[in-house]
Amino acid sequence: MHKDRVILAAQPNADDFRQWHAAGVRHVLNVRTPAEMERVRESGFDQAALLAELGMSYTQVPLGGDAYPMRQEPVTALRDLLERDDALVLVHCASTTRAAQVWAAHQVRDIGRAPTEVYRELEPIGLWPLPLEKLSGVPLEIEARR
């Protein structure tokens, strides 16, 4: 999913990274945990080495499980990467869900967009409607209190 200068993705493979590099992606934010990335390495793919070879910046800010609970550090990392230059930023996790949550939080916190508007854009990956709306049949709106 491509949103402005951000690409949200599930775990890319080497060919994906090469294609995104050719398309202008220069920064990668990985929100997968160290244990998840160890399994990727064990499968024979060294993501960090490939990104270094391609000249892409690589930031890992794990998100998920008890060891890496929901917090603002990944959102701040995304904001910082976007402020670095005008290049595209790829944010990935295992399935796109955590990456999309980071992008949504950035949109609400740093850009000031309405949460419901942001979540509706994430419907293609299953983050909207919320389970409560699906289960209740009652349309929901999420508001930010500033």
Side-chain angles (χ1 to χ4, degrees), residues 19-56:
Q19 290 172 5
W20 281 323
H21 180 264
V25 171
R26 295 296 175 263
H27 309 294
V28 174
L29 173 59
N30 175 5
V31 297
R32 296 191 78 181
T33 66
E36 289 177 293
M37 292 311 296
E38 182 57 32
R39 288 190 297 276
V40 171
R41 276 188 296 282
E42 288 171 355
S43 74
F45 177 45
D46 187 339
Q47 177 174 309
L50 175 63
L51 295 175
E53 177 186 315
L54 294 172
M56 299 168 78

Side-chain angles (χ1 to χ4, degrees), residues 116 120 128-142:
T116 302
R120 285 196 171 126
W128 189 270
L130 297 174
L132 178 60
E133 186 174 44
K134 290 177 188 177
L135 291 167
S136 68
V138 176
L140 299 176
E141 292 286 327
I142 305 169

